[in-house]
């Protein structure tokens, strides 16, 4: 695919709007596409099998109608929207879906997904909740089971070399993303938060080789870009779980903020941790996905012996990126019914307080219907920190 | 929402069995005992959760478990959870999260702020722990996050988090292909817990005692299974309302002689009732299954309301956290820790093989089908508690799967005698909506209107069958 366009972001917007159009075409050409939700799915293994990983998104504008009769409204609304779209055949080019042990919403509804959707392959990756030595041993075995399961489904063999190649190309992908993040450091940033999140979302819908090519083009474009698409404004960090659309960030930027950093799943949480290429590939992947992904789902022992020390260890990424990207304020954006993030709110608030970064905490329900309320709250917050 | 005086003490639920009636004082004595133990300071006290299969380990180490879910349930049953929930909310915790945990965190924050129990704390309050044992498992996020959140207010209290996974059901896989490494991991996690407890208590584990307690627990499991199976009798001698009491020795007193003896007495009582033909309901008209969901602890009287309509509950999936070990296909071992790990895996995978044999079935669905048949069930009642994803996600889908088997039309089948006959397999269901302890989500009038409508449906099916 050729991404040499005059303005690469026009192409990115097209791919964002027609999310999945590229893999749909590849599927028509005979490629197998494996859908996934959540950052805990080891994409390298799917890539090594010859399939294309595709991140399933929800849709803020699509009301939940079909899922209502079989999936309770008390689960993560983002995840429920993803299920709704699958039921409505938005992703009927998928050959299968991989779901990890990330939260109760995923675990408890696994049967609902696997029995209700017509895909021929389903696999659950059981990611441990803790990071001890025995957890890594267990997770190594679990990754081997995932490999075997894909081999059985595809009637193929995944070799160590396949895994090493996949690790290398995904590391390249993450390096490119880090390079793009560098353009956020100027004030105002050379890339808007809206452009960046859109780029990252689109990247998750393409074969990684094509995503890398696309990111190369973005970097080229940014290098020659003379000025920021944004007026200078308060520099904002977005904290929270999976943000799979541009709406919140666009709203912040429409109101005069500059979104320059994040810890979200499409952003640094998922894209910054690298896989060690010198190690045995399975062990390296276990290390990346179990330890390096800083998600509240994983229990981290309080080794500091104090609350202050504990939150400094647990939320190191917030502090690091707040400093690196020189942020003026943060928005902690959490979905209703999200237990892993929800229980951390008091501790996160305390942490932001300790690093003197003003915080706006929002609980939302994954619907375009709440944009009006968000506008009022965000506007007030930006005025407060300006 | 109907205007109700929710702060008024509810009428005490009447029980069908003497055993269930004895639970209130038993729980009160248990809570008082933990406060006494705290005051004496001879034993270590641990916050922890039920269904972690670590009961024998705690008891063998003389650690006093403080069951935090139980305490939240007590607050709910006494309709005194709201002030703790509000305190948690004031910290920034959303009401959409597990309300057991919110109640516990609110209570902890208040107790730590005062350096004393919150005023008029239910049954004297929840003692301050020496340490907390959480468990990620694979079934409940709040179990990992709750104590971590509470630690903000008691940073000197350490946490040990045990990971207790089990292989999720996949139709195309035999779980035995993977359970060796699951077992190995669980054993290491449990041994890690033992090391932690040895460090905290400055005592070494007595493995002979542990083996005795594991044996006691196994016997108690089998005894409970035998006892609860007696409820298949018509009329049913004990319903789910009582089972929400008898879950106390099952979940909170496992690995004790008290629990074993309790179920010996209950079994005897049920046998006597069956011999006399005494049912939970005087004139049993409908046999219902509590097919999923934790109860609304503040509204247990609803079970009496069902009873008043002639409905009995011979079986429930909630808190039936044991199976008969003689029916469990797990490897034998003399090592008590290894046995606990196998029992854990055996319990969670118990219905897997059976589920694979039936099209559209799944372990939770399979359990429902089996019990519908064995207990001769006329309808299923479920409760969707808005704050708990652990036990309440998937219930609607389970009903959806059941509806593929139990259709509202007559079905012709060939009997053993070769005769073709018309049978009705319709199975109506009722989904109640509220919470476990957040009474603001509950309306007695709405709930009872739903129950009335459900009973009318059951009656109309009963009349159709009679015709």
């Amino acid at each position: 695919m050729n991404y040499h366009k005059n303005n690469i972001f026009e192409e990115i917007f097209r791919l964002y709007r027609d999310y999945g159009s590229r893999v749909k075409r590849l599927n028509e050409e005979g490629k197998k596409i494996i859908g996934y939700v959540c950052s805990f799915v080891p994409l390298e293994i799917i890539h090594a099998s010859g399939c294309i990983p595709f991140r399933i998104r929800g849709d803020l504008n699509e009301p939940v109608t079909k899922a209502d009769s079989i999936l309770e409204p008390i689960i993560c609304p983002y995840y429920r929207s993803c299920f709704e779209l699958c039921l409505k055949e938005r992703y009927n080019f998928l050959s299968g879906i991989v779901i990890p042990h990330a939260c109760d919403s995923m675990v408890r509804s696994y049967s609902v997904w696997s029995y209700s959707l017509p895909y021929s392959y389903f696999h659950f990756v059981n990611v441990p909740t803790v990071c001890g030595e025995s957890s890594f041993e267990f997770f190594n075995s679990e990754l081997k089971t995932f490999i075997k399961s894909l081999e059985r489904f595809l009637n193929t063999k995944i070799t160590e070399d396949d895994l090493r190649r996949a690790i290398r190309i995904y590391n390249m992908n993450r390096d490119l993303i880090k390079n793009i993040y560098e353009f956020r450091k100027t004030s105002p940033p050379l890339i808007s938060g809206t452009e960046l999140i859109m780029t990252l979302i689109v990247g998750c819908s393409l074969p990684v080789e094509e995503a890398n090519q696309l990111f190369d083009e973005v970097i080229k474009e940014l290098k020659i870009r003379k000025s920021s698409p944004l007026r200078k404004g308060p520099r904002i960090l977005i904290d929270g779980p999976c943000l799979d659309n541009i709406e919140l960030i666009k709203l912040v930027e429409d109101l005069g903020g500059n979104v320059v950093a994040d810890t979200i799943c499409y952003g640094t949480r998922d894209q910054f941790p690298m896989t060690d290429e010198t190690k045995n590939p399975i062990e390296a992947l276990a290390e990346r996905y179990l330890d390096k992904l800083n998600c509240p789902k994983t229990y981290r022992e309080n080794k500091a012996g104090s609350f202050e020390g504990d939150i400094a260890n647990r939320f190191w990424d917030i502090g690091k990126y707040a400093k690196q990207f020189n942020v003026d304020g943060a928005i902690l954006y959490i979905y209703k019914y999200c237990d892993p993030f929800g229980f951390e709110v008091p501790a996160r608030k305390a942490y932001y307080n300790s690093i003197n970064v003003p915080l706006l905490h929002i609980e939302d329900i994954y619907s375009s219907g709440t944009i009006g309320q968000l506008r009022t709250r965000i506007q007030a917050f930006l005025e407060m920190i300006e | 929402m109907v205007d109700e005086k929710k702060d008024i003490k509810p009428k005490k639920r009447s029980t069908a069995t003497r055993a269930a009636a004895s639970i209130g004082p038993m729980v009160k004595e248990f809570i008082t005992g933990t406060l006494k133990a705290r005051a004496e300071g001879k034993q270590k006290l641990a916050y922890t959760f039920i269904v972690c299969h670590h009961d024998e380990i705690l008891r063998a180490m003389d650690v006093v478990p403080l069951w935090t879910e139980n305490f939240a349930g007590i607050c709910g049953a006494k309709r005194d959870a709201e002030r703790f929930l509000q305190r948690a909310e004031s910290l920034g915790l959303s009401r959409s999260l597990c309300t057991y945990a919110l109640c516990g965190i609110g209570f902890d924050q208040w107790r730590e702020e005062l350096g004393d129990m919150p005023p008029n704390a239910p049954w004297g309050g929840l003692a301050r722990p020496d340490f907390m044992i959480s468990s990620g498992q694979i079934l409940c996020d709040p179990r990992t996050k709750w104590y971590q959140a509470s630690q903000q207010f008691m940073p000197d209290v350490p946490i040990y988090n045990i990971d207790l996974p089990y292989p999720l059901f996949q139709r195309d896989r035999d779980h035995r292909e993977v359970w060796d490494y699951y077992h190995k991991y669980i054993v290491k996690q449990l041994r890690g817990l033992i090391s932690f407890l040895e460090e905290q208590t400055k005592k070494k584990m007595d493995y002979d005692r542990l083996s005795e307690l594991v044996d006691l627990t196994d016997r108690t499991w089998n005894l409970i299974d035998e006892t609860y199976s007696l409820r298949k009798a018509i009329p049913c001698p004990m319903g789910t309302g009582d089972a929400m009491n008898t879950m106390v020795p099952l979940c909170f007193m496992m690995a004790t002689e008290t629990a074993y003896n309790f179920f010996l007495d209950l079994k005897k009582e049920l046998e006597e009732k069956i011999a006399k033909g005494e049912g939970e309901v005087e004139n049993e008209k409908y046999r219902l299954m509590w097919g999923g969901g934790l109860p609304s602890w503040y509204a247990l009287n609803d079970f009496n309301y069902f009873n008043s309509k002639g409905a009995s509950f011979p079986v429930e999936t909630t808190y039936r956290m044991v199976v008969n070990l003689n029916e469990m296909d797990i490897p034998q071992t003399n090592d008590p820790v290894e046995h606990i790990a196998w029992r854990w895996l055996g319990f969670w995978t118990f219905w897997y093989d059976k589920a694979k044999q039936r099209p559209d079935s799944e372990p939770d669905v399979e359990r429902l089908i089996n019990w519908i048949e064995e207990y001769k069930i006329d309808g299923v009642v479920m409760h969707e508690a808005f704050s708990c994803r652990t036990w309440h996600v998937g219930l609607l889908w389970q009903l959806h799967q059941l509806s593929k088997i139990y259709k509202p039309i007559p079905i012709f089948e060939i009997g053993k005698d070769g005769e073709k006959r018309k049978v009705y397999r319709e199975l109506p269901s009722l989904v109640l909506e509220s919470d476990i302890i957040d009474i603001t989500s509950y309306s007695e009038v709405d709930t009872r209107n739903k129950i009335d409508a459900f009973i009318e449906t059951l009656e109309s099916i009963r009349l159709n069958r009679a015709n």
Side-chain angles (χ1 to χ4, degrees):
Chain A
M1 192 156 194
N2 184 3
Y3 287 114
H4 293 271
K5 303 281 174 190
N6 287 335
N7 186 342
I8 191 67
F9 289 108
E10 282 176 22
E11 175 63 11
I12 288 171
F13 181 67
R14 189 190 65 76
L15 289 166
Y16 174 78
R17 196 189 51 212
D18 302 328
Y19 191 74
S21 55
R22 174 61 184 147
V23 285
K24 187 176 181 184
R25 202 153 65 246
L26 288 167
N27 175 246
E28 284 160 6
E29 290 167 13
K31 279 280 183 189
K32 280 202 160 52
I33 319 295
I34 300 290
Y36 67 98
V37 281
C38 184
S39 305
F40 279 106
V41 175
L43 306 183
E44 292 85 345
I45 291 175
I46 299 174
H47 183 275
S49 76
C51 295
I52 301 169
F54 170 81
R55 190 163 190 150
I56 295 169
R57 276 177 66 201
D59 186 342
L60 287 176
N61 296 303
E62 182 69 41
V64 174
T65 51
K66 288 193 96 170
D68 250 346
S69 61
I70 47 173
L71 190 55
E72 288 81 355
I74 60 168
I75 69 161
C76 167
Y78 146 72
Y79 192 61
R80 199 157 176 262
S81 176
C82 292
F83 179 61
E84 173 78 8
L85 297 193
C86 289
L87 277 179
K88 287 178 174 163
E89 300 180 10
R90 178 91 61 102
Y91 302 124
N92 58 4
F93 47 81
L94 297 178
S95 296
I97 291 186
V98 180
I99 294 175
H101 173 206
C103 64
D104 286 345
S105 291
M106 292 184 195
V107 175
R108 307 313 291 175
S109 66
Y110 180 71
S111 288
V112 186
W113 282 64
S114 60
Y115 280 67
S116 309
L117 301 175
Y119 313 127
S120 42
Y121 177 75
F122 267 93
H123 188 78
F124 181 81
V125 181
N126 206 341
V127 186
T129 316
V130 292
C131 275
E133 196 184 320
S134 57
S135 314
F136 285 106
E137 272 175 32
F138 169 82
F139 196 39
N140 283 347
S141 301
E142 188 66 7
L143 292 183
K144 285 177 191 162
T145 296
F146 178 33
I147 290 170
K148 269 190 215 159
S149 152
L150 271 174
E151 286 177 336
R152 204 183 288 176
F153 171 61
L154 298 163
N155 195 20
T156 188
K157 186 81 196 153
I158 300 171
T159 67
E160 193 175 312
D161 279 348
D162 294 331
L163 288 171
R164 286 191 189 284
R165 269 195 298 276
I167 288 170
R168 266 199 301 279
I169 197 159
Y170 273 95
N171 274 349
M172 279 170 60
N173 180 268
R174 291 165 191 142
D175 269 335
L176 289 164
I177 291 170
K178 283 181 190 169
N179 285 340
I180 298 173
Y181 268 69
E182 287 298 307
F183 294 97
R184 308 181 98 175
K185 288 185 173 169
T186 57
S187 184
L190 271 173
I191 180 169
S192 71
T194 310
E195 287 172 328
L196 184 116
I197 188 72
M198 197 158 57
T199 304
L200 298 180
I201 292 168
V202 165
C204 295
S205 73
L206 301 173
V208 65
E209 297 83 356
E210 293 183 14
N212 288 355
Q213 202 187 337
L214 179 79
F215 296 161
D216 264 332
E217 293 301 318
V218 168
I219 292 168
K220 274 185 204 161
E221 167 103 4
L222 292 173
K223 278 182 177 168
I224 57 167
R225 192 177 257 189
K226 298 280 191 303
S227 62
S228 171
L230 302 173
R231 277 187 296 112
K232 192 170 175 175
R235 297 171 65 79
I236 302 298
L237 178 146
I238 305 288
D239 184 16
C242 191
L243 195 60
D244 69 340
N245 58 78
I246 61 173
E247 301 308 323
L248 174 76
I249 292 174
K250 188 170 177 300
L251 182 61
V252 174
E253 296 188 327
D254 286 348
L255 292 168
N258 296 170
V259 175
V260 294
D262 67 73
T263 61
I264 59 174
C265 296
Y266 273 88
T268 61
R269 178 172 299 113
D270 193 1
Q271 309 291 1
F272 276 31
M274 305 294 278
T275 310
D276 189 337
E277 293 180 31
T278 64
K279 287 188 173 170
N280 166 289
I282 292 175
E283 286 174 16
L285 288 171
E287 185 181 69
R288 180 187 186 275
Y289 284 92
L290 179 53
D291 192 23
K292 293 183 183 175
L293 286 187
N294 191 19
C295 174
K297 168 256 189 231
T298 308
Y299 176 76
R300 311 270 173 183
E301 190 188 340
N302 181 351
K303 289 181 178 160
S306 68
F307 173 66
E308 293 73 20
D310 183 39
I311 55 177
N313 290 338
R314 275 159 61 197
F315 308 135
W316 62 268
D317 49 350
I318 297 171
K320 182 178 173 183
Y321 303 136
K323 198 170 171 186
Q324 270 185 6
F325 294 89
N326 197 23
V327 308
D328 301 311
I331 296 174
L332 174 58
Y333 180 80
I334 294 177
Y335 297 122
K336 193 175 180 184
Y337 303 120
C338 176
D339 290 307
F341 273 93
F343 279 110
E344 289 203 337
V345 170
R348 281 181 190 254
K349 281 184 171 176
Y351 181 70
Y352 280 103
N353 196 35
S354 75
I355 58 170
N356 295 315
V357 171
L359 177 71
L360 171 66
H361 165 221
I362 293 171
E363 184 185 75
D364 202 9
I365 55 164
Y366 200 85
S367 163
S368 55
T370 62
I371 293 288
Q373 297 164 28
L374 296 185
R375 177 183 296 277
T376 311
R377 294 191 62 195
I378 291 168
Q379 193 164 21
F381 178 65
L382 293 176
E383 283 168 11
M384 187 190 82
I385 62 173
E386 216 158 13
Chain B
M1 177 96 32
V2 176
D3 185 23
E4 293 158 83
K5 290 195 174 177
K6 286 170 177 164
D7 53 343
I8 290 176
K9 199 174 171 188
K11 192 178 157 212
K12 201 173 174 191
R13 193 183 68 80
S14 58
T15 59
T17 58
R18 288 189 308 273
S22 71
I23 290 295
M26 188 188 271
V27 177
K28 192 167 185 180
E29 190 184 320
F30 173 71
I31 300 284
T32 313
T34 61
L35 295 170
K36 196 171 161 215
R38 174 77 291 161
E40 289 173 354
K42 289 179 190 160
Q43 284 175 287
K44 295 288 184 186
L45 280 71
Y47 271 11
T48 197
F49 297 108
I50 60 167
V51 197
C52 292
H53 288 205
H54 60 350
D55 310 63
E56 299 99 313
I57 292 173
L58 298 179
R59 308 271 181 207
M61 296 293 292
D62 279 328
V63 169
V64 179
L66 299 169
W67 306 105
T68 48
E69 291 154 306
N70 179 226
F71 185 72
I74 290 168
C75 294
K78 293 176 86 66
R79 301 194 171 189
D80 192 16
E82 184 58 24
R83 55 184 172 140
F84 306 118
L85 296 175
Q86 283 182 11
R87 209 157 244 269
E89 275 185 311
S90 73
L91 302 170
L93 295 162
S94 163
R95 187 67 73 111
S96 71
L97 303 172
C98 166
T99 44
Y100 278 169
L102 296 185
C103 179
I105 295 165
F107 186 91
D108 283 343
Q109 190 274 338
W110 201 346
R111 187 192 58 214
E112 295 305 302
E113 185 182 281
L114 295 173
D116 202 351
M117 288 298 173
N120 304 314
W123 284 347
L126 184 63
R128 193 178 201 269
D130 293 295
F131 45 86
M132 302 184 265
I133 302 163
S134 56
S135 173
Q137 301 180 345
I138 193 174
L139 52 89
C140 179
D141 294 328
R143 285 173 171 231
T144 321
K145 304 309 292 181
W146 175 345
Y147 297 163
Q148 197 177 41
S150 276
Q151 207 181 37
Q152 179 168 352
F153 312 106
M154 34 183 182
D156 57 316
V157 179
I159 297 172
Y160 186 83
N161 187 85
I162 355 169
D163 207 10
L164 294 171
Y166 60 87
L168 223 57
F169 180 72
Q170 306 213 160
R171 278 196 88 89
D172 58 350
R173 181 179 77 184
D174 184 341
H175 56 276
R176 294 172 196 84
E177 283 176 25
V178 297
W179 76 351
D180 280 344
Y181 69 76
Y182 273 76
H183 181 259
K184 195 174 162 190
Y185 182 41
I186 295 163
V187 167
K188 286 190 177 180
Q189 289 289 306
L190 292 172
R191 293 205 197 284
L193 172 64
I194 292 171
S195 301
F196 174 80
L197 294 177
E198 287 179 334
E199 197 184 312
Q200 294 295 324
T201 58
K202 313 286 181 222
K203 284 197 291 197
K204 297 304 280 182
M205 168 61 88
D206 177 345
Y207 281 91
D208 289 336
R209 189 170 174 217
L210 180 63
S211 292
E212 285 168 17
L213 291 176
V214 167
D215 178 59
L216 174 63
T217 300
D218 285 359
R219 285 188 287 119
T220 309
W221 273 44
N222 290 345
L223 175 62
I224 294 170
D225 185 70
E226 288 161 21
T227 306
Y228 278 15
S229 292
L230 292 173
R231 295 163 60 195
K232 290 174 187 170
I234 299 175
C236 166
M238 170 187 147
T240 296
D242 278 22
M244 292 303 141
N245 284 24
T246 57
M247 60 75 73
V248 168
L250 194 161
C251 293
F252 302 113
M253 292 174 181
M254 195 53 82
T256 67
E257 291 289 347
T258 308
Y260 186 78
N261 291 334
F262 175 89
F263 284 103
L264 272 184
D265 290 345
L266 177 60
K267 185 166 182 254
K268 198 173 156 210
E269 188 183 351
L270 295 188
E271 284 165 344
E272 285 166 5
K273 278 177 171 290
I274 292 166
K276 286 190 240 166
E278 270 180 25
E280 177 193 20
V281 175
E282 201 175 325
N283 178 20
E284 183 179 286
K285 288 163 83 178
Y286 322 108
R287 294 171 67 84
L288 306 179
M289 168 155 62
W290 185 263
L294 303 178
S296 297
W297 290 109
Y298 40 77
L300 291 178
N301 269 327
D302 286 342
F303 285 108
N304 283 161
Y305 190 72
F306 274 108
N307 295 158
S308 73
K309 306 283 174 183
S312 179
F313 282 87
V315 65
E316 62 287 321
T317 55
T318 306
Y319 297 125
R320 184 83 175 248
M321 304 313 294
V322 298
V323 292
N324 195 316
L325 273 99
N326 298 321
E327 295 171 27
M328 194 189 272
D329 180 22
I330 51 172
Q332 296 300 311
T333 170
N334 291 324
D335 182 312
V337 177
E338 293 204 357
H339 177 72
I340 292 171
W342 280 126
R343 194 181 62 203
W344 172 263
L345 288 167
F347 175 76
W348 289 106
T349 58
F350 187 76
W351 293 98
Y352 283 21
D353 288 336
K354 269 193 161 184
K356 276 187 202 155
Q357 288 161 18
R358 193 192 305 266
D360 291 325
S361 192
E362 184 264 4
D364 287 338
V365 176
E366 188 61 28
R367 182 174 53 169
L368 291 175
I369 295 168
N370 274 260
W371 288 354
I372 286 165
E373 300 300 328
E374 287 173 21
Y375 289 82
K376 301 193 175 2
I377 294 300
D378 301 311
V380 178
V381 180
M382 290 183 172
H383 174 226
E384 290 278 9
F386 77 85
S387 75
C388 170
R389 278 139 287 290
T390 302
W391 296 115
H392 304 87
V393 172
L395 297 181
L396 293 180
W397 174 78
Q398 287 169 28
L399 287 177
H400 176 79
Q401 295 303 96
L402 277 187
S403 70
K404 293 179 181 175
I405 296 169
Y406 300 99
K407 296 179 172 39
I409 48 168
I411 292 169
F412 290 92
E413 65 175 30
I414 306 292
K416 282 180 186 166
D417 52 6
E419 287 289 309
K420 188 177 175 185
R421 60 175 164 251
K422 190 163 76 169
V423 293
Y424 291 88
R425 292 173 64 83
E426 181 170 7
L427 190 84
S429 59
L430 169 67
V431 179
L432 300 172
E433 289 175 78
S434 184
D435 187 44
I436 38 183
I437 60 169
D438 180 358
I439 197 169
T440 63
S441 66
Y442 178 70
S443 162
E444 187 174 279
V445 171
D446 288 353
T447 302
R448 296 197 174 180
N449 283 343
K450 279 187 180 179
I451 294 171
D452 289 346
F454 182 60
I455 295 289
E456 277 175 27
T457 307
L458 287 166
E459 181 60 15
S460 113
I461 292 170
R462 196 170 74 101
L463 292 175
N464 275 345
R465 280 181 185 165
N467 296 332

